[in-house]
Amino acid sequence: MVAFICSVMCMAAPQPHAFKLGLVTDIHHADVGARGSRHYRHSMSKLHEAMAAFKDQNVDGVVELGDAVDCANSHEIDKEKQYVAEVFAELRSIRKPVWGVLGNHCLQLLSKKEFLAAAGLKRPHYSFTRGRWHFVVLDADYRKDGTPYERGNFEWTDCDVPQKERDWLKRDLEQFRSKKVVVFVHQRLDGAAGDSYSANSCALVREVLERAGNVVAVFQGHDHKGDMKEIGGIKYVTLCGLIEEAYPSNAYSVLELRSDGSWSLKGYGRNQSVN
């Protein structure tokens, strides 16, 4: 009888509530033929498949980690805005919140203001909270000299999270010390200044994150092959670029964040899983 009661109680024990986010990066939507391993005209089919999986997984929202579009051969600003709108319409097709990150290709033809308006986003860097979890979206679309990216006024290897944004980050993390924190950014933060894919100030950003003491993971894109490192107790997960390889090859993930402070990442296609 005791064993039966114990079995029933164990079966009825509540599981930690999970907040799920669908993650996708480097879509590079453009109406242009394939170049090397990049298949631009396949991106929307891949994204549609990802959104179907997110709907099936009943995610609570979607995070797009930058380079939603790619001007490729086109120099038409209105056409680029249309491509941005198409991507974000697909992201919102499952009727869940969408959070976006600025990537370098987003600003080859557009200003930050124009991209955000076309995407239906409000700010280039911001934060939001859900339950025990706090989320930070960073904007590394600045040159080393502090000049914001706009209409291709940059080299993609010269990116930075400027001092003003790092100061904001420090204040934001201090305000949410009781929360577990996840950071989203396009360019990599786990390298060193001068690396092609890393923000010039990445070591300074990591210092802010480590001192906060409650940041558990950083999810980033930009480097299409993907990677994972752990630095200072924080996991840095570089997601594979959706653009790479012909469809049906794909790359998207579902991030599960639980109320007990644990998390896991389920990778689909070329993305790895993290437990």
Side-chain angles (χ1 to χ4, degrees):
M1 182 67 173
V2 173
F4 174 77
I5 293 173
C6 179
S7 175
V8 172
M9 289 179 66
C10 290
M11 291 175 60
Q15 298 297 312
H17 174 72
F19 178 70
K20 291 184 180 181
L21 289 172
L23 306 183
V24 63
T25 191
D26 293 272
I27 299 164
H28 289 265
H29 175 37
D31 185 15
V32 65
R35 292 179 176 177
S37 60
R38 299 185 180 187
H39 292 258
Y40 299 93
R41 291 188 178 123
H42 294 195
S43 285
M44 292 304 287
S45 294
K46 293 181 180 183
L47 183 59
H48 185 72
E49 178 188 287
M51 299 311 298
F54 294 162
K55 185 175 182 179
D56 184 62
Q57 289 288 316
N58 194 29
V59 300
D60 297 286
V62 178
V63 180
E64 182 276 317
L65 284 106
D67 282 0
V69 293
D70 194 322
C71 63
N73 290 331
S74 172
H75 294 284
E76 302 175 20
I77 290 176
D78 287 343
K79 181 69 73 174
E80 190 80 338
K81 291 179 181 178
Q82 175 189 326
Y83 292 158
V84 174
E86 288 172 356
V87 167
F88 278 84
E90 181 64 32
L91 290 168
R92 294 188 175 97
S93 64
I94 59 172
R95 300 181 183 275
K96 295 294 178 68
V98 173
W99 295 276
V101 180
L102 283 171
N104 50 298
H105 279 276
C106 300
L107 304 176
Q108 284 292 144
L109 292 183
L110 305 177
S111 68
K112 291 189 180 186
K113 183 177 180 180
E114 287 171 333
F115 178 87
L116 294 173
L121 302 173
K122 294 181 179 179
R123 294 173 294 277
H125 69 266
Y126 55 95
S127 65
F128 60 98
T129 302
R130 293 295 185 276
R132 184 174 180 178
W133 293 88
H134 184 64
F135 304 90
V136 176
V137 174
L138 294 178
D139 172 17
D141 278 1
Y142 291 85
R143 299 190 325 218
K144 187 176 181 179
D145 64 8
T147 302
Y149 281 15
E150 183 168 334
R151 302 192 194 284
N153 66 341
F154 56 89
E155 295 293 334
W156 71 270
T157 54
D158 180 14
C159 57
D160 199 47
V161 178
Q163 180 70 57
K164 184 176 181 180
E165 189 174 337
R166 297 198 305 271
D167 291 343
W168 168 84
L169 173 62
K170 183 178 179 180
R171 293 192 302 269
D172 185 82
L173 294 176
E174 287 175 349
Q175 186 179 352
F176 292 94
R177 284 190 179 277
S178 63
K179 305 288 185 181
K180 294 285 188 178
V181 178
V182 169
V183 175
F184 300 112
V185 63
H186 181 65
Q187 291 88 346
R188 295 183 67 157
L189 298 180
D190 56 349
D195 291 353
S196 295
Y197 292 98
S198 298
N200 285 297
S201 59
C202 58
L204 296 174
V205 178
R206 290 199 303 268
E207 183 179 345
V208 174
L209 301 181
E210 290 168 22
R211 285 186 175 181
N214 57 345
V215 180
V216 299
V218 174
F219 294 93
Q220 49 202 16
H222 196 44
D223 190 351
H224 294 185
K225 64 182 180 294
D227 197 7
M228 188 178 72
K229 296 180 181 179
E230 184 168 337
I231 305 173
I234 300 171
K235 282 190 168 64
Y236 292 80
V237 183
T238 305
L239 301 175
C240 293
L242 177 143
I243 182 67
E244 297 293 332
E245 301 183 7
Y247 186 71
S249 176
N250 213 334
Y252 53 92
S253 303
V254 174
L255 174 62
E256 183 172 306
L257 306 123
R258 293 174 282 273
S259 58
D260 64 359
S262 64
W263 65 274
S264 61
L265 183 76
K266 171 64 176 176
Y268 293 83
R270 288 175 288 107
N271 274 339
Q272 62 182 318
S273 296
V274 183
N275 294 311

